[in-house]
Each structure stands twice: as C-alpha cells, then as structure tokens.
Amino acid sequence: MTTYEVTLKKDPCDGIFACLTRDPRFIEDDDGLATIDPDGDPVYDGDGEVREVDGDVIATFDDDRIEEARQAAAACPTNAIVVEEVDP
C-alpha cells in the first residue's frame, strides 16, 4: 500500500467537478466547489484523514487507490489538485 496526500487548492477550483467522475472521494461541498470526503465513497473502507490548511483541503490516504487520485488531478482543468506520495 502507498501513503499519499491529496491537496485540493480551493482558490483555483472552479466547480467543474471533473474530479468527481475519476475518484468518488471527491464530492461537491456546500460552497459549490469540490472537497474530499472519504465517507462520500460507498466502497471506501480505509482510514482517510482530511484536514483544512489555509483554506485548502488536504487528505492523507494509505490504500491502493493513488491512481484514482492521480486521474482526478489530471482531469482538473485548473490544476487545483496535487497528489504526492509521502512517508508513512
């Protein structure tokens, strides 16, 4: 398994939601933009940690779904999503 961080920079996010179709952990937030919610994915059973730092949403996962997160980042037209492997 890989430990990785997904950072969603809220400022450049424009609510196109291309990420939602690539990774179901991305959902629409109350502000009309994307956010990350591991519980929003009915098949996710891991222990994702989500926190907010300076308005950005940062989620840490330890599972085998990094490719889904990378696909969501690649689909984002504003480059608001960054996926990085981290040390556990």
Side-chain angles (χ1 to χ4, degrees), residues 12-45:
C13 179
D14 60 3
I16 289 181
F17 303 123
C19 55
L20 276 66
T21 62
R22 286 10 180 244
D23 186 335
R25 294 171 293 188
F26 286 88
I27 64 167
E28 184 176 354
D29 202 356
D30 293 337
D31 61 6
L33 302 175
T35 193
I36 304 169
D37 181 3
D39 295 331
D41 179 358
V43 298
Y44 182 74
D45 61 359

Side-chain angles (χ1 to χ4, degrees), residues 1-4 25 44 46 61-66:
M1 303 258 180
T2 302
T3 301
Y4 58 99
R25 294 171 293 188
Y44 182 74
F61 296 104
D62 181 7
D63 60 27
D64 59 356
R65 296 176 67 185
I66 189 170

Side-chain angles (χ1 to χ4, degrees), residues 25-87:
R25 294 171 293 188
F26 286 88
I27 64 167
E28 184 176 354
D29 202 356
D30 293 337
D31 61 6
L33 302 175
T35 193
I36 304 169
D37 181 3
D39 295 331
D41 179 358
V43 298
Y44 182 74
D45 61 359
D47 293 325
E49 175 192 335
V50 181
R51 62 195 186 283
E52 193 170 314
V53 178
D54 297 328
D56 295 338
V57 178
I58 302 172
T60 304
F61 296 104
D62 181 7
D63 60 27
D64 59 356
R65 296 176 67 185
I66 189 170
E67 194 53 40
E68 288 177 50
R70 287 180 175 149
Q71 289 176 9
C76 180
T78 62
N79 297 317
I81 303 168
V82 177
V83 179
E84 300 175 299
E85 288 188 37
V86 295
D87 292 328

